Amino acid sequence: MAPWLERQIKVYMLMVWLCAGAWTSAVTPPNSTLAEFEQWMARHGRIYKDNLEKAKRYGIFLETLRFIEDFNSKAANQSYKVGLNQFSDLTTEEFVPRYTGFRATSRSSNSSAATTFKYSMTQVPDSLNWVEKGVVGSIKNQGGCGSCWAFVATAAVESMLAMKTGKLVDLSEQQLIDCSKKNHGCGWGWMYLAYEYIAQNHGMTYESDYPYIGVQGNCNERAASIAVARLKGYENIPVSEDLLLQAVARQPVSVAIEDFSPGFKQYSGGIFNGPCGETTNHAVAIVGYGKTPDGIDYWLLKNSWGETWGEKGYMRILRNSGVQGGLCGLVTQASLPVAY
């Protein structure tokens, strides 16, 4: 019997079992994949509203398992692996609007069409890891709020401040969600508008003074006025991997990327090389770059999906891919905050 057909039969049997009221929290159907699903639910704290919803999610979970098994079985031809994570019971159509939050837009300046960069460097190191240098904050989790733009802008400003003062602190994403009115809170937003708000507000406040709740609320003007990270402004980076490399050699950079593919959603390690397009819908920070022992160039990305995704919250993605806008469009919307 074909594996996919066997799985469909298992889903059907599970639905019959559930509708008959036979599956309780104390009884697990005698099947290895069902047991794995229960273990996954416990690990990620997943509780469903009823048994029909549980059966539906089990079906999606099985399809995810099928993708993971098929993909990893071709390991000799792949530069990365995929695995189960907190998104494994979600379809792509459910995942994207909940856990992304960026919309591609034209630049606020014409720097994307330029061939030079104000902060370019004539020489850059062969590899660089800002995390190891102690100027990148901890991995955070945006949850089901489309606030990646706020997390990435905050990450870039945290690093900028650490490089300037020698002190790494956690700044408030919630402040940007509530107070950066030109953006759209948990709907979507843009890093450059976040940088504009920070500059106009004369800085950002500490996360401890304005903690993250994952929903948009009214701006807490009192907390927002305790500004500790002032910006002069921001700079867009031209669509060039060479110029992006020079920018990252200066400081961590905010970028946008496309994450529609199941490989991206279920990425667990290695050098991600697609497939993906250039319809950017998610924001991440580039916090380094390097080369594998077998000669593959990569960017080091910091994500905002917690440490259970990827390489403890990070991804290595192919650099010098030959794609004009960078793999998954990651060069097309790059920018960095500028300190006084």
Side-chain angles (χ1 to χ4, degrees):
M1 182 183 296
W4 67 268
L5 180 57
E6 182 179 356
R7 285 171 176 157
Q8 290 300 105
I9 293 173
K10 288 175 182 177
V11 173
Y12 174 76
M13 292 176 63
L14 176 61
M15 292 183 70
V16 172
W17 186 299
L18 292 172
C19 291
W23 189 10
T24 69
S25 59
V27 179
T28 301
N31 179 277
S32 61
T33 56
L34 293 176
E36 185 173 6
F37 181 55
E38 286 280 7
Q39 293 167 3
W40 175 89
M41 287 175 59
R43 184 163 59 251
H44 294 285
R46 196 72 92 244
I47 300 174
Y48 301 114
K49 64 180 180 179
D50 55 36
N51 286 337
L52 288 178
E53 179 68 16
K54 181 178 286 187
K56 174 184 175 181
R57 294 301 159 189
Y58 176 61
I60 298 170
F61 179 84
L62 284 181
E63 288 304 311
T64 302
L65 272 180
R66 177 187 178 190
F67 165 74
I68 290 170
E69 291 169 359
D70 289 348
F71 188 94
N72 289 340
S73 69
K74 305 168 185 174
N77 300 317
Q78 305 289 356
S79 62
Y80 69 99
K81 287 186 175 294
V82 293
L84 293 173
N85 59 30
Q86 69 268 41
F87 306 127
S88 297
D89 67 341
L90 299 175
T91 65
T92 299
E93 291 74 21
E94 292 170 324
F95 164 76
V96 169
R98 295 186 201 177
Y99 296 98
T100 57
F102 181 87
R103 290 192 178 184
T105 182
S106 59
R107 297 299 190 98
S108 60
S109 72
N110 63 358
S111 67
S112 61
T115 57
T116 60
F117 177 51
K118 182 178 180 180
Y119 297 100
S120 62
M121 302 174 66
T122 56
Q123 291 185 329
V124 298
D126 292 335
S127 63
L128 180 65
N129 188 326
W130 288 115
V131 181
E132 294 178 350
K133 291 183 178 295
V135 296
V136 176
S138 61
I139 293 293
K140 300 179 183 180
N141 194 337
Q142 70 185 76
C145 168
S147 53
C148 61
W149 61 273
F151 277 80
V152 173
T154 300
V157 175
E158 286 174 348
S159 292
M160 181 206 72
L161 185 65
M163 296 173 73
K164 182 178 179 180
T165 66
K167 184 179 181 181
L168 181 61
V169 298
D170 286 328
L171 299 175
S172 174
E173 293 86 6
Q174 192 66 44
Q175 177 187 356
L176 297 181
I177 293 169
D178 294 347
C179 305
S180 179
K181 298 300 185 183
K182 292 182 180 180
N183 282 310
H184 299 269
C186 287
W188 69 88
W190 301 275
M191 288 78 80
Y192 80 89
L193 289 178
Y195 296 144
E196 285 184 0
Y197 160 77
I198 297 167
Q200 293 165 5
N201 188 61
H202 305 296
M204 293 181 70
T205 194
Y206 295 113
E207 184 169 15
S208 58
D209 292 328
Y210 204 149
Y212 187 68
I213 60 173
V215 295
Q216 184 177 9
N218 295 324
C219 181
N220 184 336
E221 300 287 356
R222 182 176 180 181
S225 67
I226 308 172
V228 296
R230 300 181 65 200
L231 287 188
K232 183 178 180 180
Y234 69 94
E235 284 288 332
N236 286 329
I237 300 166
V239 181
S240 161
E241 283 206 81
D242 288 339
L243 293 177
L244 180 58
L245 182 70
Q246 294 174 37
V248 176
R250 172 186 171 88
Q251 67 190 80
V253 168
S254 61
V255 299
I257 197 168
E258 182 188 280
D259 69 353
F260 289 111
S261 75
F264 197 108
K265 179 166 73 80
Q266 301 302 145
Y267 167 82
S268 64
I271 310 299
F272 182 80
N273 62 354
C276 55
E278 297 183 36
T279 307
T280 52
N281 66 319
H282 185 53
V284 294
I286 299 185
V287 294
Y289 59 87
K291 184 189 295 285
T292 65
D294 53 349
I296 302 176
D297 293 332
Y298 66 85
W299 297 108
L300 178 63
L301 307 183
K302 180 188 180 186
N303 206 345
S304 53
W305 292 341
E307 293 187 357
T308 58
W309 178 87
E311 296 179 328
K312 296 184 177 180
Y314 293 91
M315 169 186 267
R316 288 176 293 159
I317 187 171
L318 186 64
R319 177 168 60 94
N320 295 328
S321 63
V323 179
Q324 183 177 3
L327 188 67
C328 306
L330 64 82
V331 182
T332 61
Q333 301 281 331
S335 58
L336 54 80
V338 179
Y340 276 99

